[in-house]
Amino acid sequence: MTSVPSLKDAPHALFVDDQWQLGVYRTPFADVEMSTKGWKRYRLKEWHYVSFTTDEWFVALGLVQLGYVANLFAYAVDRREGECVAEYGELSPMGRALSFAPSSIAGRTTWRNRNAYASIEADDGWTVELDLPVGAERLSGRARIETRESLAMLHRLGPNRVAYTHKAAGWPASGELTLGGRRIRLDGGLAASDWTRSQANRVTEWKWVSVNGFLEDGTSVGLNLSAQVYEDERGHSVENALFVDGRVRHLSGVRFLVPSSPQSQTWRIASLEGSEVDLEFEPLGAREEHTNLGLMRTDFVQPYGRFTGHVCGLDFTGLFGVVEVHLSVW
């Protein structure tokens, strides 16, 4: 599978010759500086989310910097039992526990306090290290994500504000985590990543899909879909992408039909135009967060489960992933 011709390599920096380099690319930017001074620095939001999928496990980690508060979350799902067996979450006032990397391809994002440590280091891919308390046990170890073709996007949010995101899915994973006495082997699995830096709107909403898996013939696939947050003049999200054996294909917009009980009922995701995407999602469980800190409020539900249907003629039936509905006032 070859790249869609319209996707080209990204420029070096987001801002060149007094212009934002708006567009969608198949390589990430190296310089993602967004100078934000004074109180406006609190408008800058950053996060790095990674997930690992094997036949037996699904593990997700999120490091989120909001300025006046930072958030770390992690959870592990035993796919054999269909249930979440470990979950950890913590807030850091004024974001003190979290230092964020300068870009998705350089530096290290680190969470460190007395009880918890997590880091994601960019080094021609990503190296993830964890040591987190989960009840009486600890989720710890080291994982590796190997580089393949990705999707990067710089999108205008307002007259003087932009958002940058670097998305990847279906990339090879390796390493091992431990959860108490259980070993979570990641070798031969797949990984997804969402690295975002955004001069975000005060009220931000989105719906999202992330999938990793192998088709029946052994082809590795990944999928990133969203709606409501990075849309063009037609109402199509510009960050939608299919990854097949490490190559990226840009997709058009999709519509999410979210059930009244998103943690337990069937979701439907389909193309706004044409038939590129036609999926149903059956939740097995969900991670959710509802935080109200006055200046900031976040409500999201991230169910995990299995998909049926197709994307660009490929059968996604049985593949495992997550969907999300998210509202933040920040």
Side-chain angles (χ1 to χ4, degrees):
M1 179 179 174
T2 59
S3 298
V4 173
S6 61
L7 290 186
K8 56 186 179 181
D9 289 353
H12 175 77
L14 301 183
F15 198 70
V16 179
D17 296 331
D18 296 325
Q19 289 188 335
W20 292 109
Q21 302 300 295
L22 304 172
V24 182
Y25 305 92
R26 64 183 178 90
T27 59
F29 288 77
D31 179 356
V32 294
E33 173 64 26
M34 293 182 187
S35 296
T36 307
K37 299 179 180 180
W39 68 267
K40 290 184 178 180
R41 68 188 178 91
Y42 294 108
R43 181 66 65 86
L44 190 69
K45 314 302 176 187
E46 303 171 293
W47 59 83
H48 197 172
Y49 170 94
V50 294
S51 67
F52 300 91
T53 307
T54 72
D55 289 341
E56 297 181 342
W57 290 94
F58 176 80
V59 180
L61 167 70
L63 297 168
V64 184
Q65 180 62 270
L66 304 179
Y68 35 75
V69 68
N71 183 22
L72 161 67
F73 69 84
Y75 65 98
V77 176
D78 185 337
R79 293 186 58 190
R80 296 160 298 187
E81 302 296 329
E83 63 180 10
C84 182
V85 297
E87 183 174 349
Y88 179 79
E90 186 174 2
L91 298 176
S92 172
M94 304 307 296
R96 295 186 186 94
L98 180 61
S99 60
F100 213 85
S103 80
S104 63
I105 60 173
R108 184 195 296 259
T109 297
T110 303
W111 181 287
R112 189 190 302 271
N113 62 20
R114 291 180 300 173
N115 299 316
Y117 174 79
S119 77
I120 307 174
E121 182 176 12
D123 52 357
D124 192 28
W126 292 292
T127 299
V128 179
E129 295 181 344
L130 294 178
D131 186 14
L132 305 175
V134 182
E137 300 177 328
R138 297 193 76 86
L139 176 64
S140 61
R142 188 173 186 270
R144 176 76 184 157
I145 303 173
E146 300 296 334
T147 302
R148 295 294 185 268
E149 203 166 83
S150 56
L151 181 137
M153 174 219 70
L154 183 65
H155 186 73
R156 188 179 298 281
L157 296 177
N160 300 303
R161 291 182 294 104
V162 296
Y164 170 70
T165 187
H166 175 198
K167 295 291 178 73
W171 285 13
S174 60
E176 182 174 290
L177 305 176
T178 59
L179 177 61
R182 285 173 286 192
R183 300 171 68 186
I184 302 175
R185 297 181 178 90
L186 303 176
D187 292 351
L190 297 172
S193 173
D194 173 357
W195 195 101
T196 295
R197 175 169 288 166
S198 174
Q199 296 167 329
N201 293 325
R202 171 68 173 150
V203 179
T204 299
E205 296 182 75
W206 66 72
K207 298 178 178 68
W208 182 56
V209 166
S210 179
V211 186
N212 293 307
F214 291 98
L215 304 182
E216 287 191 357
D217 64 0
T219 300
S220 65
V221 295
L223 184 66
N224 183 87
L225 301 173
S226 74
Q228 291 183 262
V229 64
Y230 305 129
E231 296 182 343
D232 63 17
E233 65 279 358
R234 300 179 302 153
H236 288 238
S237 172
V238 298
E239 68 162 2
N240 292 345
L242 170 67
F243 303 82
V244 180
D245 278 341
R247 306 301 296 274
V248 66
R249 173 174 176 173
H250 194 209
L251 302 178
S252 59
V254 296
R255 176 184 297 107
F256 286 73
L257 299 179
V258 181
S260 57
S261 297
Q263 303 93 330
S264 59
Q265 296 177 331
T266 302
W267 292 49
R268 176 81 188 279
I269 305 101
S271 294
L272 290 170
E273 300 174 4
S275 57
E276 281 184 333
V277 177
D278 188 3
L279 294 171
E280 289 190 347
F281 172 81
E282 294 291 341
L284 296 175
R287 180 187 181 273
E288 55 188 292
E289 185 172 309
H290 307 281
T291 302
N292 191 339
L293 299 177
L295 286 175
M296 175 201 134
R297 177 168 65 88
T298 295
D299 291 286
F300 78 84
V301 178
Q302 187 181 95
Y304 51 84
R306 298 188 180 94
F307 290 84
T308 58
H310 71 265
V311 179
C312 297
L314 302 176
D315 187 2
F316 269 53
T317 299
L319 296 190
F320 195 92
V322 298
V323 295
E324 183 175 292
V325 57
H326 184 115
L327 166 65
S328 280
V329 180
W330 50 19

PDB file of all heavy atoms in Angstrom, residues 269-297:
ATOM      1  N   ILE A 269     -19.768   4.065  13.776  1.00  0.00           N
ATOM      2  CA  ILE A 269     -18.890   5.070  13.171  1.00  0.00           C
ATOM      3  C   ILE A 269     -18.907   4.832  11.665  1.00  0.00           C
ATOM      4  O   ILE A 269     -18.584   3.724  11.211  1.00  0.00           O
ATOM      5  CB  ILE A 269     -17.445   4.984  13.713  1.00  0.00           C
ATOM      6  CG1 ILE A 269     -17.423   5.087  15.245  1.00  0.00           C
ATOM      7  CG2 ILE A 269     -16.585   6.076  13.093  1.00  0.00           C
ATOM      8  CD1 ILE A 269     -17.273   3.766  15.952  1.00  0.00           C
ATOM      9  N   ALA A 270     -19.280   5.845  10.898  1.00  0.00           N
ATOM     10  CA  ALA A 270     -19.399   5.675   9.450  1.00  0.00           C
ATOM     11  C   ALA A 270     -18.977   6.951   8.735  1.00  0.00           C
ATOM     12  O   ALA A 270     -19.053   8.058   9.289  1.00  0.00           O
ATOM     13  CB  ALA A 270     -20.829   5.309   9.067  1.00  0.00           C
ATOM     14  N   SER A 271     -18.532   6.808   7.492  1.00  0.00           N
ATOM     15  CA  SER A 271     -18.089   7.940   6.689  1.00  0.00           C
ATOM     16  C   SER A 271     -19.209   8.941   6.477  1.00  0.00           C
ATOM     17  O   SER A 271     -20.372   8.563   6.288  1.00  0.00           O
ATOM     18  CB  SER A 271     -17.581   7.460   5.336  1.00  0.00           C
ATOM     19  OG  SER A 271     -16.420   6.676   5.471  1.00  0.00           O
ATOM     20  N   LEU A 272     -18.844  10.227   6.497  1.00  0.00           N
ATOM     21  CA  LEU A 272     -19.812  11.270   6.168  1.00  0.00           C
ATOM     22  C   LEU A 272     -20.208  11.203   4.703  1.00  0.00           C
ATOM     23  O   LEU A 272     -21.348  11.501   4.333  1.00  0.00           O
ATOM     24  CB  LEU A 272     -19.216  12.648   6.475  1.00  0.00           C
ATOM     25  CG  LEU A 272     -19.035  13.002   7.946  1.00  0.00           C
ATOM     26  CD1 LEU A 272     -18.214  14.280   8.082  1.00  0.00           C
ATOM     27  CD2 LEU A 272     -20.386  13.170   8.621  1.00  0.00           C
ATOM     28  N   GLU A 273     -19.246  10.834   3.866  1.00  0.00           N
ATOM     29  CA  GLU A 273     -19.484  10.680   2.431  1.00  0.00           C
ATOM     30  C   GLU A 273     -18.829   9.385   1.971  1.00  0.00           C
ATOM     31  O   GLU A 273     -17.713   9.074   2.381  1.00  0.00           O
ATOM     32  CB  GLU A 273     -18.898  11.858   1.649  1.00  0.00           C
ATOM     33  CG  GLU A 273     -19.476  13.217   2.034  1.00  0.00           C
ATOM     34  CD  GLU A 273     -18.772  14.363   1.342  1.00  0.00           C
ATOM     35  OE1 GLU A 273     -17.880  14.090   0.507  1.00  0.00           O
ATOM     36  OE2 GLU A 273     -19.095  15.528   1.654  1.00  0.00           O
ATOM     37  N   GLY A 274     -19.505   8.646   1.120  1.00  0.00           N
ATOM     38  CA  GLY A 274     -18.926   7.405   0.627  1.00  0.00           C
ATOM     39  C   GLY A 274     -18.970   6.299   1.653  1.00  0.00           C
ATOM     40  O   GLY A 274     -19.753   6.332   2.609  1.00  0.00           O
ATOM     41  N   SER A 275     -18.086   5.320   1.487  1.00  0.00           N
ATOM     42  CA  SER A 275     -18.144   4.111   2.313  1.00  0.00           C
ATOM     43  C   SER A 275     -16.762   3.667   2.790  1.00  0.00           C
ATOM     44  O   SER A 275     -16.544   2.479   3.014  1.00  0.00           O
ATOM     45  CB  SER A 275     -18.802   2.975   1.524  1.00  0.00           C
ATOM     46  OG  SER A 275     -18.096   2.731   0.312  1.00  0.00           O
ATOM     47  N   GLU A 276     -15.828   4.598   2.947  1.00  0.00           N
ATOM     48  CA  GLU A 276     -14.502   4.229   3.458  1.00  0.00           C
ATOM     49  C   GLU A 276     -14.593   3.521   4.798  1.00  0.00           C
ATOM     50  O   GLU A 276     -13.940   2.505   5.033  1.00  0.00           O
ATOM     51  CB  GLU A 276     -13.635   5.485   3.635  1.00  0.00           C
ATOM     52  CG  GLU A 276     -13.011   6.037   2.396  1.00  0.00           C
ATOM     53  CD  GLU A 276     -12.107   7.223   2.715  1.00  0.00           C
ATOM     54  OE1 GLU A 276     -12.345   7.909   3.741  1.00  0.00           O
ATOM     55  OE2 GLU A 276     -11.177   7.461   1.932  1.00  0.00           O
ATOM     56  N   VAL A 277     -15.407   4.070   5.701  1.00  0.00           N
ATOM     57  CA  VAL A 277     -15.491   3.572   7.073  1.00  0.00           C
ATOM     58  C   VAL A 277     -16.920   3.160   7.383  1.00  0.00           C
ATOM     59  O   VAL A 277     -17.867   3.932   7.158  1.00  0.00           O
ATOM     60  CB  VAL A 277     -15.043   4.647   8.081  1.00  0.00           C
ATOM     61  CG1 VAL A 277     -15.217   4.143   9.520  1.00  0.00           C
ATOM     62  CG2 VAL A 277     -13.600   5.062   7.830  1.00  0.00           C
ATOM     63  N   ASP A 278     -17.083   1.948   7.872  1.00  0.00           N
ATOM     64  CA  ASP A 278     -18.384   1.458   8.337  1.00  0.00           C
ATOM     65  C   ASP A 278     -18.115   0.476   9.473  1.00  0.00           C
ATOM     66  O   ASP A 278     -17.807  -0.692   9.252  1.00  0.00           O
ATOM     67  CB  ASP A 278     -19.147   0.779   7.211  1.00  0.00           C
ATOM     68  CG  ASP A 278     -20.579   0.439   7.604  1.00  0.00           C
ATOM     69  OD1 ASP A 278     -20.979   0.783   8.736  1.00  0.00           O
ATOM     70  OD2 ASP A 278     -21.289  -0.179   6.797  1.00  0.00           O
ATOM     71  N   LEU A 279     -18.183   0.973  10.713  1.00  0.00           N
ATOM     72  CA  LEU A 279     -17.788   0.193  11.877  1.00  0.00           C
ATOM     73  C   LEU A 279     -18.861   0.222  12.958  1.00  0.00           C
ATOM     74  O   LEU A 279     -19.574   1.218  13.119  1.00  0.00           O
ATOM     75  CB  LEU A 279     -16.496   0.744  12.485  1.00  0.00           C
ATOM     76  CG  LEU A 279     -15.210   0.646  11.672  1.00  0.00           C
ATOM     77  CD1 LEU A 279     -14.106   1.440  12.358  1.00  0.00           C
ATOM     78  CD2 LEU A 279     -14.796  -0.798  11.484  1.00  0.00           C
ATOM     79  N   GLU A 280     -18.921  -0.861  13.716  1.00  0.00           N
ATOM     80  CA  GLU A 280     -19.632  -0.898  14.978  1.00  0.00           C
ATOM     81  C   GLU A 280     -18.643  -1.280  16.069  1.00  0.00           C
ATOM     82  O   GLU A 280     -17.652  -1.973  15.816  1.00  0.00           O
ATOM     83  CB  GLU A 280     -20.791  -1.892  14.939  1.00  0.00           C
ATOM     84  CG  GLU A 280     -21.950  -1.429  14.070  1.00  0.00           C
ATOM     85  CD  GLU A 280     -23.185  -2.299  14.233  1.00  0.00           C
ATOM     86  OE1 GLU A 280     -23.056  -3.403  14.827  1.00  0.00           O
ATOM     87  OE2 GLU A 280     -24.257  -1.884  13.782  1.00  0.00           O
ATOM     88  N   PHE A 281     -18.923  -0.791  17.269  1.00  0.00           N
ATOM     89  CA  PHE A 281     -18.031  -1.011  18.400  1.00  0.00           C
ATOM     90  C   PHE A 281     -18.849  -1.511  19.582  1.00  0.00           C
ATOM     91  O   PHE A 281     -19.858  -0.900  19.950  1.00  0.00           O
ATOM     92  CB  PHE A 281     -17.311   0.289  18.766  1.00  0.00           C
ATOM     93  CG  PHE A 281     -16.514   0.205  20.042  1.00  0.00           C
ATOM     94  CD1 PHE A 281     -15.252  -0.362  20.053  1.00  0.00           C
ATOM     95  CD2 PHE A 281     -17.032   0.700  21.236  1.00  0.00           C
ATOM     96  CE1 PHE A 281     -14.513  -0.442  21.231  1.00  0.00           C
ATOM     97  CE2 PHE A 281     -16.307   0.623  22.412  1.00  0.00           C
ATOM     98  CZ  PHE A 281     -15.043   0.050  22.412  1.00  0.00           C
ATOM     99  N   GLU A 282     -18.394  -2.632  20.174  1.00  0.00           N
ATOM    100  CA  GLU A 282     -19.052  -3.209  21.346  1.00  0.00           C
ATOM    101  C   GLU A 282     -18.143  -3.054  22.561  1.00  0.00           C
ATOM    102  O   GLU A 282     -17.079  -3.666  22.637  1.00  0.00           O
ATOM    103  CB  GLU A 282     -19.342  -4.688  21.122  1.00  0.00           C
ATOM    104  CG  GLU A 282     -20.363  -4.969  20.033  1.00  0.00           C
ATOM    105  CD  GLU A 282     -21.768  -4.525  20.424  1.00  0.00           C
ATOM    106  OE1 GLU A 282     -22.020  -4.345  21.641  1.00  0.00           O
ATOM    107  OE2 GLU A 282     -22.595  -4.370  19.518  1.00  0.00           O
ATOM    108  N   PRO A 283     -18.527  -2.208  23.537  1.00  0.00           N
ATOM    109  CA  PRO A 283     -17.680  -2.020  24.728  1.00  0.00           C
ATOM    110  C   PRO A 283     -17.625  -3.273  25.598  1.00  0.00           C
ATOM    111  O   PRO A 283     -18.625  -3.988  25.758  1.00  0.00           O
ATOM    112  CB  PRO A 283     -18.371  -0.878  25.474  1.00  0.00           C
ATOM    113  CG  PRO A 283     -19.280  -0.236  24.479  1.00  0.00           C
ATOM    114  CD  PRO A 283     -19.699  -1.326  23.553  1.00  0.00           C
ATOM    115  N   LEU A 284     -16.456  -3.505  26.175  1.00  0.00           N
ATOM    116  CA  LEU A 284     -16.297  -4.526  27.205  1.00  0.00           C
ATOM    117  C   LEU A 284     -16.167  -3.888  28.587  1.00  0.00           C
ATOM    118  O   LEU A 284     -16.320  -4.546  29.606  1.00  0.00           O
ATOM    119  CB  LEU A 284     -15.052  -5.370  26.921  1.00  0.00           C
ATOM    120  CG  LEU A 284     -15.084  -6.200  25.643  1.00  0.00           C
ATOM    121  CD1 LEU A 284     -13.744  -6.886  25.422  1.00  0.00           C
ATOM    122  CD2 LEU A 284     -16.206  -7.220  25.685  1.00  0.00           C
ATOM    123  N   GLY A 285     -15.850  -2.614  28.601  1.00  0.00           N
ATOM    124  CA  GLY A 285     -15.675  -1.846  29.822  1.00  0.00           C
ATOM    125  C   GLY A 285     -15.277  -0.439  29.437  1.00  0.00           C
ATOM    126  O   GLY A 285     -15.237  -0.098  28.255  1.00  0.00           O
ATOM    127  N   ALA A 286     -14.938   0.385  30.415  1.00  0.00           N
ATOM    128  CA  ALA A 286     -14.599   1.775  30.093  1.00  0.00           C
ATOM    129  C   ALA A 286     -13.769   2.388  31.215  1.00  0.00           C
ATOM    130  O   ALA A 286     -13.932   2.054  32.394  1.00  0.00           O
ATOM    131  CB  ALA A 286     -15.856   2.607  29.879  1.00  0.00           C
ATOM    132  N   ARG A 287     -12.872   3.284  30.816  1.00  0.00           N
ATOM    133  CA  ARG A 287     -12.239   4.194  31.757  1.00  0.00           C
ATOM    134  C   ARG A 287     -12.907   5.547  31.579  1.00  0.00           C
ATOM    135  O   ARG A 287     -13.115   6.004  30.456  1.00  0.00           O
ATOM    136  CB  ARG A 287     -10.738   4.328  31.500  1.00  0.00           C
ATOM    137  CG  ARG A 287     -10.106   5.279  32.503  1.00  0.00           C
ATOM    138  CD  ARG A 287      -8.666   5.607  32.227  1.00  0.00           C
ATOM    139  NE  ARG A 287      -8.186   6.504  33.282  1.00  0.00           N
ATOM    140  CZ  ARG A 287      -8.302   7.821  33.272  1.00  0.00           C
ATOM    141  NH1 ARG A 287      -8.839   8.434  32.218  1.00  0.00           N
ATOM    142  NH2 ARG A 287      -7.880   8.564  34.286  1.00  0.00           N
ATOM    143  N   GLU A 288     -13.262   6.184  32.677  1.00  0.00           N
ATOM    144  CA  GLU A 288     -13.880   7.498  32.578  1.00  0.00           C
ATOM    145  C   GLU A 288     -13.348   8.413  33.668  1.00  0.00           C
ATOM    146  O   GLU A 288     -12.843   7.964  34.690  1.00  0.00           O
ATOM    147  CB  GLU A 288     -15.399   7.414  32.625  1.00  0.00           C
ATOM    148  CG  GLU A 288     -15.994   6.702  33.801  1.00  0.00           C
ATOM    149  CD  GLU A 288     -17.509   6.536  33.616  1.00  0.00           C
ATOM    150  OE1 GLU A 288     -18.215   7.564  33.649  1.00  0.00           O
ATOM    151  OE2 GLU A 288     -17.967   5.394  33.445  1.00  0.00           O
ATOM    152  N   GLU A 289     -13.449   9.711  33.381  1.00  0.00           N
ATOM    153  CA  GLU A 289     -12.958  10.711  34.325  1.00  0.00           C
ATOM    154  C   GLU A 289     -13.883  11.911  34.296  1.00  0.00           C
ATOM    155  O   GLU A 289     -14.259  12.388  33.216  1.00  0.00           O
ATOM    156  CB  GLU A 289     -11.536  11.127  33.957  1.00  0.00           C
ATOM    157  CG  GLU A 289     -10.890  12.067  34.954  1.00  0.00           C
ATOM    158  CD  GLU A 289      -9.426  12.296  34.636  1.00  0.00           C
ATOM    159  OE1 GLU A 289      -8.690  11.306  34.459  1.00  0.00           O
ATOM    160  OE2 GLU A 289      -9.026  13.477  34.540  1.00  0.00           O
ATOM    161  N   HIS A 290     -14.214  12.398  35.482  1.00  0.00           N
ATOM    162  CA  HIS A 290     -15.082  13.561  35.620  1.00  0.00           C
ATOM    163  C   HIS A 290     -14.456  14.457  36.684  1.00  0.00           C
ATOM    164  O   HIS A 290     -14.528  14.166  37.878  1.00  0.00           O
ATOM    165  CB  HIS A 290     -16.496  13.128  36.005  1.00  0.00           C
ATOM    166  CG  HIS A 290     -17.068  12.092  35.080  1.00  0.00           C
ATOM    167  ND1 HIS A 290     -17.587  12.399  33.846  1.00  0.00           N
ATOM    168  CD2 HIS A 290     -17.158  10.741  35.206  1.00  0.00           C
ATOM    169  CE1 HIS A 290     -17.991  11.294  33.251  1.00  0.00           C
ATOM    170  NE2 HIS A 290     -17.738  10.273  34.059  1.00  0.00           N
ATOM    171  N   THR A 291     -13.808  15.525  36.232  1.00  0.00           N
ATOM    172  CA  THR A 291     -13.052  16.411  37.118  1.00  0.00           C
ATOM    173  C   THR A 291     -13.604  17.823  37.027  1.00  0.00           C
ATOM    174  O   THR A 291     -13.795  18.346  35.922  1.00  0.00           O
ATOM    175  CB  THR A 291     -11.562  16.424  36.729  1.00  0.00           C
ATOM    176  OG1 THR A 291     -11.052  15.090  36.788  1.00  0.00           O
ATOM    177  CG2 THR A 291     -10.767  17.314  37.665  1.00  0.00           C
ATOM    178  N   ASN A 292     -13.837  18.435  38.172  1.00  0.00           N
ATOM    179  CA  ASN A 292     -14.296  19.817  38.212  1.00  0.00           C
ATOM    180  C   ASN A 292     -13.439  20.584  39.210  1.00  0.00           C
ATOM    181  O   ASN A 292     -13.564  20.406  40.418  1.00  0.00           O
ATOM    182  CB  ASN A 292     -15.774  19.899  38.605  1.00  0.00           C
ATOM    183  CG  ASN A 292     -16.345  21.286  38.406  1.00  0.00           C
ATOM    184  OD1 ASN A 292     -15.607  22.270  38.345  1.00  0.00           O
ATOM    185  ND2 ASN A 292     -17.654  21.380  38.300  1.00  0.00           N
ATOM    186  N   LEU A 293     -12.527  21.437  38.668  1.00  0.00           N
ATOM    187  CA  LEU A 293     -11.633  22.216  39.505  1.00  0.00           C
ATOM    188  C   LEU A 293     -11.926  23.705  39.424  1.00  0.00           C
ATOM    189  O   LEU A 293     -11.058  24.545  39.642  1.00  0.00           O
ATOM    190  CB  LEU A 293     -10.180  21.950  39.105  1.00  0.00           C
ATOM    191  CG  LEU A 293      -9.698  20.504  39.233  1.00  0.00           C
ATOM    192  CD1 LEU A 293      -8.264  20.374  38.737  1.00  0.00           C
ATOM    193  CD2 LEU A 293      -9.815  20.015  40.665  1.00  0.00           C
ATOM    194  N   GLY A 294     -13.163  24.049  39.097  1.00  0.00           N
ATOM    195  CA  GLY A 294     -13.530  25.449  38.985  1.00  0.00           C
ATOM    196  C   GLY A 294     -13.151  26.013  37.628  1.00  0.00           C
ATOM    197  O   GLY A 294     -13.962  26.044  36.703  1.00  0.00           O
ATOM    198  N   LEU A 295     -11.889  26.455  37.479  1.00  0.00           N
ATOM    199  CA  LEU A 295     -11.431  26.974  36.197  1.00  0.00           C
ATOM    200  C   LEU A 295     -11.411  25.905  35.120  1.00  0.00           C
ATOM    201  O   LEU A 295     -11.515  26.199  33.929  1.00  0.00           O
ATOM    202  CB  LEU A 295     -10.016  27.555  36.341  1.00  0.00           C
ATOM    203  CG  LEU A 295      -9.886  28.890  37.065  1.00  0.00           C
ATOM    204  CD1 LEU A 295      -8.418  29.239  37.227  1.00  0.00           C
ATOM    205  CD2 LEU A 295     -10.616  29.986  36.302  1.00  0.00           C
ATOM    206  N   MET A 296     -11.270  24.673  35.527  1.00  0.00           N
ATOM    207  CA  MET A 296     -11.153  23.577  34.588  1.00  0.00           C
ATOM    208  C   MET A 296     -12.180  22.499  34.893  1.00  0.00           C
ATOM    209  O   MET A 296     -12.414  22.155  36.047  1.00  0.00           O
ATOM    210  CB  MET A 296      -9.755  22.971  34.666  1.00  0.00           C
ATOM    211  CG  MET A 296      -9.556  21.746  33.808  1.00  0.00           C
ATOM    212  SD  MET A 296      -8.165  20.750  34.384  1.00  0.00           S
ATOM    213  CE  MET A 296      -8.917  19.128  34.323  1.00  0.00           C
ATOM    214  N   ARG A 297     -12.785  21.970  33.819  1.00  0.00           N
ATOM    215  CA  ARG A 297     -13.694  20.838  33.966  1.00  0.00           C
ATOM    216  C   ARG A 297     -13.459  19.872  32.820  1.00  0.00           C
ATOM    217  O   ARG A 297     -13.355  20.283  31.659  1.00  0.00           O
ATOM    218  CB  ARG A 297     -15.154  21.311  33.964  1.00  0.00           C
ATOM    219  CG  ARG A 297     -16.170  20.166  34.053  1.00  0.00           C
ATOM    220  CD  ARG A 297     -17.554  20.710  34.343  1.00  0.00           C
ATOM    221  NE  ARG A 297     -18.075  21.533  33.267  1.00  0.00           N
ATOM    222  CZ  ARG A 297     -18.769  21.052  32.227  1.00  0.00           C
ATOM    223  NH1 ARG A 297     -18.987  19.752  32.124  1.00  0.00           N
ATOM    224  NH2 ARG A 297     -19.239  21.875  31.314  1.00  0.00           N
TER     225      ARG A 297
END
